[in-house]
Every structure is written in structure tokens, then in C-alpha cells.
Amino acid sequence: NRESPEEVVRSGISYALGEEKKDTDYVDKLVGEPLYSEADTIFDEFWKSHRAEGATCDFGGAAILKEENITHTSDYYTDDYYNAVEVKQFATWKIVLLVVIGTLVGSLTGFALAMKLSPRFNRRVRSSTLLRPVTGSAVFRKSFGNIADLEGYRGISMD
């Protein structure tokens, strides 16, 4: 109790230390806030060790009995724990790029497999006027032109 006179606080500290058989000589040198801080510590320790015996711990008005739930301090309800967790996000542009590349690679792989394995698909692509500049190229003929060599395939002439 910061409103108690310093002599009352000193008397309470001397009593508590005397009960514990500790040195009390330094108490007379304390004044102001250091005196009250020391009293807080000593009164708290005295209360914790003698509360089961029924100690009142008011020390002639120098202390106020105030019990707090020490398991839930003011810091208990802060979100500091959640701030410690760092979430690394994958950049949106990387996701879009991966989807586009995956779509292109998948489409080209599917097209190449269909050209090699499906004579009907191959025939339709080769006869398409839209793809005529591509299907007439030497690279295309070299890559997909051997479909006509398959047994039983009767394709259309590209000439």
C-alpha cells in the first residue's frame, strides 16, 4: 500500500523478516519507492509461506491482501503466439506461370501422342486447311509423317 507511512512499512518488513529469522538492519536505510518495492517482495513471500497458518498479512495497514489468478495474466490473452508463426506465401504470378506451362506441356504432349497413336486424328489434322502451313512443313512430316507406314493405315495423300 503506497499510501502507508514509511515507518509502518518498515515495521511490517521488520516483523516479516524477524519471523523468518532474517537480517533486518538494511530496512532502516530504505526510503521511497525502493522501500515499497522491497515491502511488496517480502510481504508476498511471507504471505505465500504462512497463508496456510491463517496469516492475515495486512502488517498494520502497510499491505493489502489482493490475490490474483497467476495462471492468466494480462499477457495470457495476447496474440503474440500467433504472430510468431510466419506463413510464407507462394507468389500468385508463380502459380499462374506454373498453370500456363503445365497446360501448354500437357496440350502439346497430348497432341503429339494423338498424332502418333490415332490414325483418324492424324488424318484430320493433316487435311485441315487451318493447319496447312504447319502440316506441310518438313519438321511436321518428319515428326508425324511415319504414321502412313503403320500396317493397315490408308491415309490421304498430302501432295
Side-chain angles (χ1 to χ4, degrees):
N1 184 3
R2 300 293 195 261
E3 296 171 7
S4 297
E6 289 186 359
E7 283 307 313
V8 174
V9 174
R10 275 192 198 89
S11 174
I13 292 174
S14 295
Y15 171 78
L17 291 175
E19 287 291 311
E20 299 291 322
K21 307 219 183 326
K22 294 182 180 175
D23 181 33
T24 60
D25 294 339
Y26 75 98
V27 176
D28 293 332
K29 299 173 188 161
L30 295 174
V31 291
E33 187 56 34
L35 174 69
Y36 290 107
S37 294
E38 185 70 16
D40 287 342
T41 304
I42 292 171
F43 294 163
D44 184 53
E45 289 175 7
F46 188 84
W47 165 250
K48 286 179 181 174
S49 58
H50 296 288
R51 72 188 283 187
E53 301 165 9
T56 59
C57 295
D58 66 349
F59 299 101
I64 299 172
L65 184 59
K66 178 178 157 188
E67 189 168 356
E68 294 179 0
N69 184 352
I70 59 172
T71 59
H72 293 91
T73 63
S74 61
D75 292 334
Y76 181 79
Y77 295 103
T78 65
D79 60 351
D80 290 344
Y81 172 76
Y82 299 104
N83 289 341
V85 177
E86 216 174 290
V87 178
K88 302 226 179 206
Q89 289 184 334
F90 203 63
T92 306
W93 70 269
K94 289 180 182 178
I95 294 171
V96 170
L97 182 65
L98 286 174
V99 168
V100 168
I101 290 172
T103 302
L104 289 174
V105 169
S107 299
L108 290 174
T109 303
F111 179 79
L113 284 173
M115 287 296 288
K116 285 284 191 183
L117 302 176
S118 173
R120 185 174 170 204
F121 181 77
N122 190 308
R123 201 174 326 125
R124 287 191 180 218
V125 170
R126 290 173 148 221
S127 64
S128 168
T129 56
L130 177 66
L131 296 176
R132 178 67 64 187
V134 176
T135 58
S137 73
V139 174
F140 187 85
R141 285 178 175 263
K142 186 175 183 184
S143 299
F144 302 110
N146 62 351
I147 193 75
D149 298 337
L150 293 175
E151 188 176 317
Y153 175 68
R154 293 186 182 26
I156 58 172
S157 172
M158 294 300 292
D159 297 325

